[in-house]
Amino acid sequence: MIVERNVPLQPLNSFGIAARAAVLVRVRGEADVRAVRADAELGAQPTFVLGGGSNIVLTGDVKPVVLKVEVPGRRVVRDTARHVIVEAGAGENWHDFVTWTLDQGLPGLENLALIPGTVGASPVQNIGAYGVELQDRFHELDAIDLLTGEVFTLGAAQCGFGYRDSVFKHAAAAPGDLGLAGRALILRVRFALPKDWQPVLGYLDIERRMQEEGVAHPSARQLYDWIVAIRRAKLPDPAVIGNAGSFFKNPTVTPEQCQDIIGRDPKVVHYPMPDGSVKLAAGWLIDACGWKGKSVGNAAVYEKQALVLVNRGGAAHPATGGEVMTLAKAIQTSVYERFGIRLEPEPVVV
Ligand code: EPU
């Protein structure tokens, strides 16, 4: 186990916010977690699990022991009647893993191409894009209990997946609760990729591409290329402009609330959900309140997608977590005042 002290976290979070970790340990497998637990100094301290840092806002230095997840490995595990099971270490880069599955001739993850972050963070957020969510391809995962050092396996039902949500985002409120935030470190994730693969289409941006290129039945590779191009055109590359993807979740309202908003704003972008509720495009709501391009210090609303907050200060004068949160709160207030809707942040605020 290598223990690093006073470590700059700016290169380790996609917003590029400057903060430091008092202690950081790189975790390449369960043995590293057990070594931390057994350590006379570190064993008793609280821990903070850091993956790719693409979904966090750091508002100060991190005092708990940072466990930086770097578990490597990608492999085809086995075939079942209807699926091929593939596994990746939690530290693998998500997009590189998606590309690797396609290189193996295994489609199924193409709609999730170019999402920043690591494989280990993907179930935490139940990442989703273009009609596919991680839970649609999830098989099971191995995690280690940070308190007991025991390794355990969870299936989909036990992960409590919801829209950008899982048990890994919730702390246990009472003994016996399934909340695993702060309690579990994900080591490896297994995916079930369908043998009778069908493309997931139906998303406006994709349908537009199909028409433009005259392709009615795109291959997985074709879809992957389109999604990479769509995302590159619309979303800032964290390597160039710091950001954490969508900053707010798309809110859900009742059909009555939606009708009320349509009455005042006929253009509001809304999608009926299978359960009868209606999802609204948070980006549209924020945009309608005039936030595109506005800033607080070096934190700003991205000009091309109002749902994304960006770090305009670059590496030399980065936005602070406080600036990002002040901007986020001002957006929440203005959307609430105009539409009566409370936007919920997507990233974890540390
Ligand atoms: N819109 C505006 N103005 C804006 C932004 C969006 O009018 O500034 C409108 C768009 O024109 C469109 C609608 O709002 O009609 C929805 O926008 P978009 O298609 O870009 O998708 P989104 O709802 O903003 C969600 C996910 C993304 C995911 C895309 C594609 C959430 C919070 N975000 O964004 O996920 O890539 O759909 O599936 O669900 C992420 O979670 O970090 C993320 C990027």
Side-chain angles (χ1 to χ4, degrees), residues 111 129-131 200-208 230 234 271:
N111 291 43
Y130 305 101
V200 178
L201 309 169
Y203 203 91
L204 193 67
D205 286 336
I206 295 175
E207 280 178 357
R208 206 173 285 147
I230 292 166
K234 186 143 65 174
Y271 318 94

Side-chain angles (χ1 to χ4, degrees), residues 125 128-131 163-164 203 205 231 234-235 244-246 248-250 269 271 281-284 287 292 304-307 346:
Q125 270 294 94
Y130 305 101
Y163 167 57
R164 298 292 191 277
Y203 203 91
D205 286 336
R231 290 187 73 99
K234 186 143 65 174
L235 297 168
S246 300
F248 299 100
K249 296 182 187 181
N250 285 330
V269 177
Y271 318 94
W284 187 92
D287 196 0
K292 263 187 191 160
K304 292 190 219 165
Q305 213 321 357
L307 196 50
E346 202 192 271

Side-chain angles (χ1 to χ4, degrees), residues 6-57:
N6 198 21
V7 182
L9 294 176
Q10 195 174 10
L12 301 182
N13 74 98
S14 65
F15 243 121
I17 292 170
R20 284 177 177 271
V23 180
L24 184 143
V25 177
R26 294 178 196 271
V27 173
R28 291 183 60 83
E30 37 267 69
D32 290 318
V33 176
R34 293 195 177 121
V36 170
R37 277 179 39 77
D39 186 86
E41 179 207 345
L42 305 180
Q45 294 187 31
T47 51
F48 173 75
V49 177
L50 178 63
S54 62
N55 206 49
I56 56 170
V57 183

Side-chain angles (χ1 to χ4, degrees), residues 160-345:
F161 291 125
Y163 167 57
R164 298 292 191 277
D165 200 22
S166 74
V167 287
F168 303 101
K169 280 184 103 170
H170 299 272
D177 267 13
L178 249 188
L180 288 174
R183 181 76 199 260
L185 181 148
I186 296 169
L187 293 163
R188 289 170 290 273
V189 186
R190 288 181 285 284
F191 300 85
L193 304 181
K195 287 182 171 173
D196 66 340
W197 173 84
Q198 299 291 329
V200 178
L201 309 169
Y203 203 91
L204 193 67
D205 286 336
I206 295 175
E207 280 178 357
R208 206 173 285 147
R209 291 268 163 167
M210 288 167 67
Q211 282 182 355
E212 277 166 16
E213 305 198 19
V215 177
H217 303 285
S219 65
R221 181 61 75 165
Q222 177 77 80
L223 261 175
Y224 168 95
D225 288 342
W226 286 344
I227 282 159
V228 166
I230 292 166
R231 290 187 73 99
R232 287 220 168 104
K234 186 143 65 174
L235 297 168
D237 177 354
V240 184
I241 305 170
N243 75 90
S246 300
F247 199 89
F248 299 100
K249 296 182 187 181
N250 285 330
T252 307
V253 296
T254 64
E256 294 74 30
Q257 281 175 299
C258 186
Q259 278 311 320
D260 184 47
I261 294 171
I262 291 172
R264 286 176 283 137
D265 286 281
K267 288 192 184 147
V268 62
V269 177
H270 59 285
Y271 318 94
M273 302 302 287
D275 66 0
S277 64
V278 183
K279 194 171 263 190
L280 303 179
W284 187 92
L285 300 172
I286 299 167
D287 196 0
C289 291
W291 279 102
K292 263 187 191 160
K294 296 263 170 68
S295 55
V296 167
N298 280 329
V301 180
Y302 192 52
E303 291 81 0
K304 292 190 219 165
Q305 213 321 357
L307 196 50
V308 179
L309 304 190
V310 294
N311 176 1
R312 280 271 163 243
H317 305 285
T320 64
E323 287 170 343
V324 173
M325 294 315 293
T326 303
L327 177 60
K329 289 203 175 90
I331 292 169
Q332 283 171 310
T333 304
S334 85
V335 168
Y336 183 70
E337 283 172 357
R338 173 151 171 197
F339 297 105
I341 290 168
R342 292 188 195 280
L343 292 181
E344 209 184 308

